[in-house]
Amino acid sequence: MSRKKMKYLPKKYTIPMTAAKAAMLLLSIVFSGAMTALSGAGLIYNRASYGKSLAAAGLFLIISAALMVLGAVLCLFRKNLPNILSLFLSFAGFFLCMAMLKRLTGHADASGWTDKYTLAPVSGMYVRRILPCVIPVLMSGAVAALQLCSYELKVQRRARKAAKQEKKNAPAPSIIDGE
C-alpha cells in the first residue's frame, strides 16, 4: 500500500474514543454500579420492614446494575461479539432497572413514605439516585454502535467474506493425477 493511501486510513485508537470509553466506564461504575446496586442492597438489608416484594426488587436492582456494568466493560473491546453483547446487556439491564424503579416508587408513593425532616416523598429520592444510570447506558450504546460501524471492522468482515468465497470457489483437486 502506498504512503499516500496509508495516510488517509483511520487510526485504530483515537483520543476522543478513548476518552469517551474512560468517561463511560467511570460513569457506569458510579451511577449504574454504585447507586443502583447500593439501593438494591438497602432494600434487601431492610427486607424485614419492607417485605418480600421489595426485597425481590432489590435483588433485581443489583442484577440490573451488574448487567449495565458488564455491558460497559464489554464495550471496551473492538470486536463484533463483545459490542453486540454490550448493546444487549446494557439495554436489558437498563430496562430491568427502570421496571424495578417504577415498582419501588409506586410502592413508596402508595405507602406514603416521606423524608422525616423535609416531608418530601421518598420516591423522588429514588428517582434522583437511580435515573442518572441512563447516561452511561446511552454512552455504551453509542460507543458499541460506533465500533460496530467502524471502517476497520467493515474491512475485516469483507476480508473474511472474500476468504470464504475464495475457499468455496477454489478448484477441486484432480482425481486422475492423484494416484
Side-chain angles (χ1 to χ4, degrees), residues 20-64:
K21 286 180 183 181
M24 179 230 12
L25 189 61
L26 181 66
L27 290 174
S28 180
I29 289 170
V30 171
F31 289 131
S32 300
M35 293 300 207
T36 306
L38 290 176
S39 295
L43 291 172
I44 292 173
Y45 181 74
N46 296 317
R47 70 180 168 264
S49 60
Y50 291 153
K52 288 185 179 184
S53 66
L54 285 185
L59 178 65
F60 285 124
L61 279 173
I62 293 172
I63 291 170
S64 70

Side-chain angles (χ1 to χ4, degrees), residues 24-25 28-29 67-77 82-83 86 90 140:
M24 179 230 12
L25 189 61
S28 180
I29 289 170
L67 289 175
M68 289 186 285
V69 171
L70 182 62
V73 169
L74 285 175
C75 180
L76 299 176
F77 304 109
N83 282 317
S86 171
S90 293
S140 68

Side-chain angles (χ1 to χ4, degrees), residues 10 19 22 47 112 128 150 158:
R47 70 180 168 264
R128 284 189 308 274
S150 73
R158 286 182 188 148

Side-chain angles (χ1 to χ4, degrees), residues 16 113 147 150:
W113 291 353
Q147 289 182 153
S150 73

